Amino acid sequence: MKPLRIAMIGGWGHASGVLQQMEALGGCELVGIAKTLPEEEIAHFRQFESVKTAKVYEDYRQMLREAKPEVVIVGTRLDRIAAVAMDAARAGCHLICEKPLAIDHAALAELYETVVRAKVQCIPMLANRVNPLVRAAREAINSGRLGKIALVNARKSYKWGGRPEWFGKRSLYGGTIGWIGIHALDFIEAATGQTFAAVAAMQSNVGHPERPECEDNCGLMLRLSGGGQATVSIDLLRPEAAATWGDDWIRIVGTKGTIEASLERGEGTITTMDGPPQNLPATAKSALYADFLKNLREKPTEQSENMQRGFWLTHVCLCARDAADQGRIVEIDPRPYALAGPTR
């Protein structure tokens, strides 16, 4: 079998996680790297053997024409993701993109129409859904141990670190709900299997006046498809001295029990009416991007559930940002990115 031809566009974001899984999978060749903006830096990816031998192009469109990749990894400034991804899709490339897939509704709809028309797949870099504790929570809920889900609380926190100047411009950054909050929405949906029907939100910047349009704290409240509620806490205020860059946490309350889990520490407990708290048994690890690449080689290229999920979650984030900007509850239209979830 010929190696899967992969290219990388951009030098920012979480592409290193994709490259790591690509190299571990094998059977892939990185055929080119290109920037989309002059200030993008790709030197930090040189730790990967595949990057050391890949040809560097000045123009990503030239790379698409000459290198003819089958899959493109897109990691660039957030306002550029949708446009670059559409260029790659029109060239017949499947896509693994930095999140969010777009920073406005019109660009998201255009990207979706483009990838469907091109008959390619497009997923965002959202790997928390295959976290062993998230998957263990899903198994426990599906088995009925928690009863009907009534409430979910999720936390997603990052350190501020050295955020680039463009984070301070909404037209380039898009907002913290889309950049960080999408992770929390992803692991809520992954753990419970439920979607979101309505959202209210608030956001502000209290500690970083040098980036005035970058919210460093956000709060969301969502109606779940099963009739319960979810709350999401998002911030860019994690202390620099903290042991880990991020802090992911989830609490799920059902009519028969609860689950609490710290994804960062790899610890979780389940408490039911039948007995005292027990450790939540983590499932086997899974590699989201490697599985995606493997499936591209083994199965017909048709719209996948992970693709629908990525567009749906981006849509929910944009609705949440609308809710915060407009100070109102926004009903989330299930079209055109419908992702039917159970009502357990």
Side-chain angles (χ1 to χ4, degrees), residues 302-335:
E302 57 186 26
Q303 185 176 342
S304 69
E305 187 176 346
N306 274 338
M307 175 170 143
Q308 278 187 289
R309 182 175 289 108
F311 278 90
W312 165 253
L313 290 170
T314 306
H315 173 60
V316 174
C317 286
L318 291 172
C319 290
R321 190 186 69 183
D322 291 343
D325 288 346
Q326 300 166 15
R328 66 184 182 91
I329 296 174
V330 172
E331 299 291 329
I332 301 172
D333 188 342
R335 301 162 298 173

Side-chain angles (χ1 to χ4, degrees), residues 175-188:
T176 298
I177 292 174
W179 170 238
I180 299 179
I182 194 169
H183 284 293
L185 296 174
D186 181 45
F187 57 70
I188 289 174

Side-chain angles (χ1 to χ4, degrees), residues 2-9 19 22 27-34 49-57 62-73 93:
K2 292 182 179 179
L4 195 63
R5 298 173 62 80
I6 300 175
M8 185 167 70
I9 300 176
L19 293 171
M22 180 194 81
C28 301
E29 178 185 4
L30 193 67
V31 296
I33 302 174
E49 292 300 318
S50 58
V51 174
K52 293 176 183 178
T53 57
K55 182 177 179 179
V56 178
Y57 290 81
Q62 178 189 2
M63 180 182 69
L64 293 173
R65 291 192 302 270
E66 296 182 2
K68 300 188 186 310
E70 298 166 85
V71 183
V72 170
I73 303 165
C93 304

Side-chain angles (χ1 to χ4, degrees), residues 45-275:
F45 293 117
R46 294 291 183 188
Q47 60 179 303
F48 296 98
E49 292 300 318
S50 58
V51 174
K52 293 176 183 178
T53 57
K55 182 177 179 179
V56 178
Y57 290 81
E58 292 297 321
D59 183 341
Y60 76 85
R61 294 179 182 87
Q62 178 189 2
M63 180 182 69
L64 293 173
R65 291 192 302 270
E66 296 182 2
K68 300 188 186 310
E70 298 166 85
V71 183
V72 170
I73 303 165
V74 178
T76 186
R77 200 176 66 194
L78 305 189
D79 65 307
R80 297 282 299 140
I81 291 172
V84 171
M86 282 189 278
D87 284 340
R90 293 184 187 109
C93 304
H94 301 286
L95 296 154
I96 303 175
C97 297
E98 184 57 82
K99 43 74 190 175
L101 294 174
I103 63 170
D104 62 70
H105 290 286
L108 184 65
E110 187 179 2
L111 175 59
Y112 185 75
E113 291 169 3
T114 300
V115 298
V116 170
R117 189 180 306 116
K119 297 182 179 179
V120 298
Q121 296 191 49
C122 173
I123 64 168
M125 298 179 193
L126 293 173
N128 275 340
R129 68 177 310 97
V130 296
N131 179 284
L133 288 174
V134 172
R135 296 174 69 188
R138 181 65 171 268
E139 290 180 4
I141 291 169
N142 286 347
S143 71
R145 295 183 67 188
L146 263 62
K148 187 172 182 179
I149 302 305
L151 181 69
V152 183
N153 310 119
R155 177 174 69 224
K156 182 69 184 181
S157 175
Y158 278 158
K159 296 179 182 180
W160 178 261
R163 301 296 174 177
E165 184 177 353
W166 55 264
F167 261 57
K169 298 179 181 179
R170 169 68 76 87
S171 61
L172 306 180
Y173 172 55
T176 298
I177 292 174
W179 170 238
I180 299 179
I182 194 169
H183 284 293
L185 296 174
D186 181 45
F187 57 70
I188 289 174
E189 189 278 327
T192 66
Q194 298 203 18
T195 56
F196 309 104
V199 59
M202 293 184 180
Q203 57 189 6
S204 66
N205 180 318
V206 298
H208 300 92
E210 72 279 12
R211 300 285 186 268
E213 295 180 35
C214 176
E215 305 87 9
D216 58 20
N217 69 96
C218 313
L220 278 58
M221 187 165 187
L222 305 108
R223 185 190 312 135
L224 295 171
S225 57
Q229 321 301 325
T231 64
V232 177
S233 167
I234 307 160
D235 72 81
L236 273 166
L237 296 163
R238 185 161 170 76
E240 295 297 321
T244 57
W245 179 261
D247 182 23
D248 301 346
W249 175 89
I250 189 169
R251 177 174 179 263
I252 305 169
V253 181
T255 55
K256 295 181 180 179
T258 63
I259 287 174
E260 296 186 16
S262 169
L263 277 58
E264 225 65 44
R265 294 195 299 272
E267 300 172 351
T269 59
I270 179 169
T271 307
T272 69
M273 301 297 185
D274 300 326

